[in-house]
Amino acid sequence: MKCEIIRDLLPSYIEELTSEESNRAIEEHLKTCPACRKYLEEMQTSVDAPEIKTANAKEINPFKKLKKRTWKAIGATVLVCALLFGGAAYYYGHEWTPSSGDVTVKCEKVGEVVTLSFFAKDEKLIMESYLDYSLDDGSEQVNLQMHRQNPLKKPTHKGAYFGYTFLDDDTIYNTDGNKRKLTDEDVVTIKYKDKDVKIKIKDLADGKL
Ligand SMILES: [Zn+2]
C-alpha cells in the first residue's frame, strides 16, 4: 500500500474506526515503513495532547466543584451556627417582666436580716431583680425580670433576692451603713407586668409578708 493511503487511514486507525482488514494492512505497512511510523507517532502525540488537557481539566473540574461545594457547605454551616447561636442567645438572653401570677414571693428572717425572695413558678425560668434607688421620694423599686434557664450555663441562683437589716422594728441599716428610721412612707415597690405591689418596709420587720 502506498504511504499516502496509509497516512489517510491513520486518523481513523488511531480512533479505532478502521476495519480489522485495514488494521492488518496498516500494521503490515508500519512494520516496514519508518516514515509512516514516525508520522503515526507524531499524530498520536498531537492527538494525545488535547486528551491530556481534557484529562487535566476533568481532574481540575471536580476539584473545583468540590471546592465550591465545600465552601457552600462551610458557608451553610456558618450560617446555621450563627442562626442557632443568635437564636439561642436571644432565646436564653431575652428577659421580660413577669406578671404577679407567675411569681412566688417568700419572706424570711434570719437574725436581723429579712430577705424577700422571688421565684418563677415555672422552674425552667430564672428570676433576676434590679433594685432601683433613683426614685425622687427616696423609695425603692424592685424591677423583676425573668429569663429562660440556659441548659449550658448552670445558674448560681434561680430566684431574685433582696433584703433589709433591721436594727429594731422600725430601723434599718441603709446600704451605706447608716441607720434609717422607717415611717409608713418608706415603701418598696415591686414592679410586675400587670401591677405594682407596694410593701411598707416596716411591715417586713417580723419576717412575714
Ligand atoms: Zn509508509
Side-chain angles (χ1 to χ4, degrees):
M1 236 190 247
K2 275 188 181 175
C3 289
E4 224 169 280
I5 298 166
I6 293 296
R7 288 176 194 184
D8 278 348
L9 286 170
L10 283 179
S12 304
Y13 173 75
I14 290 168
E15 288 182 36
E16 292 169 15
L17 299 171
T18 41
S19 67
E20 272 184 43
E21 206 181 322
S22 302
N23 287 349
R24 269 199 297 279
I26 291 161
E27 280 155 18
E28 281 298 308
H29 178 85
L30 289 172
K31 273 179 196 166
T32 57
C33 179
C36 282
R37 274 210 301 278
K38 188 138 205 282
Y39 189 84
L40 173 66
E41 255 172 51
E42 273 166 15
M43 272 189 84
Q44 276 172 328
T45 18
S46 64
V47 165
D48 280 354
E51 262 174 26
I52 290 162
K53 269 182 198 163
T54 329
N56 278 344
K58 270 178 193 167
E59 251 172 56
I60 290 159
N61 273 337
F63 180 65
K64 266 189 184 168
K65 266 187 203 164
L66 189 75
K67 234 181 156 182
K68 215 172 168 185
R69 262 189 229 142
T70 308
W71 278 113
K72 268 188 189 170
I74 290 168
T77 308
V78 167
L79 186 67
V80 166
C81 283
L83 285 174
L84 281 177
F85 188 78
Y90 177 78
Y91 188 77
Y92 294 115
H94 176 62
E95 286 190 347
W96 66 93
T97 307
S99 293
S100 55
D102 299 334
V103 182
T104 306
V105 188
K106 285 176 193 162
C107 189
E108 196 184 15
K109 187 173 188 180
V110 178
E112 303 176 300
V113 179
V114 173
T115 303
L116 279 173
S117 55
F118 303 85
F119 290 92
K121 286 181 178 167
D122 183 340
E123 285 189 349
K124 290 195 274 308
L125 300 176
I126 306 287
M127 193 70 79
E128 304 281 353
S129 71
Y130 304 95
L131 206 51
D132 186 356
Y133 294 97
S134 64
L135 299 184
D136 290 340
D137 58 0
S139 67
E140 291 154 4
Q141 180 175 295
V142 176
N143 297 303
L144 290 174
Q145 292 283 292
M146 67 202 314
H147 58 86
R148 293 179 185 87
Q149 185 177 325
N150 186 338
L152 299 175
K153 215 168 91 185
K154 205 161 188 187
T156 48
H157 60 88
K158 293 194 84 172
Y161 310 86
F162 78 91
Y164 296 100
T165 304
F166 282 85
L167 194 61
D168 57 48
D169 279 357
D170 55 4
T171 315
I172 59 167
Y173 285 113
N174 265 343
T175 44
D176 57 12
N178 291 324
K179 288 173 196 172
R180 175 170 154 199
K181 203 79 181 165
L182 295 170
T183 67
D184 285 349
E185 305 299 309
D186 290 302
V187 293
V188 57
T189 307
I190 316 297
K191 297 281 283 184
Y192 294 105
K193 192 185 174 189
D194 52 335
K195 60 180 175 183
D196 292 356
V197 174
K198 288 181 188 295
I199 302 170
K200 281 182 196 170
I201 299 172
K202 269 164 74 172
D203 291 350
L204 295 169
D206 57 358
K208 285 175 191 133
L209 273 175

